[in-house]
Amino acid sequence: GLGIGSVGAIVTSPPYLGILRYGAFNWIRLWFLGYDQYAIDRLLQTTDSLEVYLSFMASFLTAAGRVLRPGGLAVMVIGDVVENGQHLSLAQRVWQEICGLVPFEIVELVVDAYDESTKTTRVWGEERKGRATPKDRVMVLRRVAVRKRQAVHQ
């Protein structure tokens, strides 16, 4: 496995909240890498629950914090969602919920300015176009050094 503090950067697009079956949509990539698409979909267990998703992200960033060296970056593309008819900046909500729980500071949160004609979900057809994620955001986090608590001497 990866050693503690052995990684300089992580760049990823974690599963979106209740949107995609990653194994099915990435089957050829997985096949080239020797993975089973069905096993990946079972492992990821897409959810529509915001609480479950936030717990997943906190768990992921805690694990990422162990392998990233202090100053290392975690860069994630996180798609916005529509929850109860309201547009939700999921990346912003993730950070609001976990900012004190993980060993990171936020560097930047920006809208990903991609060409709509190149988005993978365009193959879903006009009636579903844009329903997956209204916007994608790039969240850049920096691993901070965690200070060990010093014993108080009386």
Side-chain angles (χ1 to χ4, degrees):
L2 296 173
I4 294 174
S6 64
V7 175
I10 296 172
V11 179
T12 187
S13 178
Y16 285 21
L17 180 60
I19 299 297
L20 296 174
R21 288 183 6 255
Y22 278 80
F25 284 98
N26 292 285
W27 71 269
I28 197 150
R29 292 180 182 114
L30 293 168
W31 178 77
F32 276 118
L33 294 169
Y35 292 100
D36 174 49
Q37 65 174 319
Y38 303 108
I40 296 297
D41 280 336
R42 283 191 303 275
L43 179 67
L44 292 177
Q45 298 177 358
T46 58
T47 181
D48 288 327
S49 165
L50 181 59
E51 295 307 313
V52 170
Y53 185 80
L54 292 171
S55 176
F56 162 77
M57 291 300 292
S59 177
F60 163 72
L61 286 169
T62 298
R66 282 193 290 272
V67 298
L68 274 173
R69 66 180 62 104
L73 298 177
V75 181
M76 295 170 287
V77 177
I78 301 176
D80 289 3
V81 295
V82 175
E83 182 182 24
N84 300 322
Q86 298 293 314
H87 184 114
L88 173 67
S89 169
L90 188 56
Q92 189 172 26
R93 180 66 186 271
V94 165
W95 183 246
Q96 288 171 347
E97 294 292 329
I98 66 174
C99 65
L101 305 174
V102 295
F104 290 94
E105 63 185 6
I106 193 156
V107 175
E108 192 169 22
L109 179 61
V110 296
V111 172
D112 185 5
Y114 55 82
D115 178 357
E116 187 67 37
S117 68
T118 64
K119 186 142 171 101
T120 303
T121 55
R122 75 186 186 292
V123 301
W124 292 355
E126 281 300 314
E127 71 280 357
R128 294 182 67 192
K129 183 178 174 183
R131 286 183 40 204
T133 54
K135 287 183 183 167
D136 286 338
R137 297 178 194 272
V138 178
M139 183 164 59
V140 182
L141 304 176
R142 180 180 299 115
R143 171 70 161 82
V144 294
V146 178
R147 294 183 185 151
K148 294 185 180 182
R149 294 182 184 191
Q150 296 180 350
V152 176
H153 299 286
Q154 296 182 355

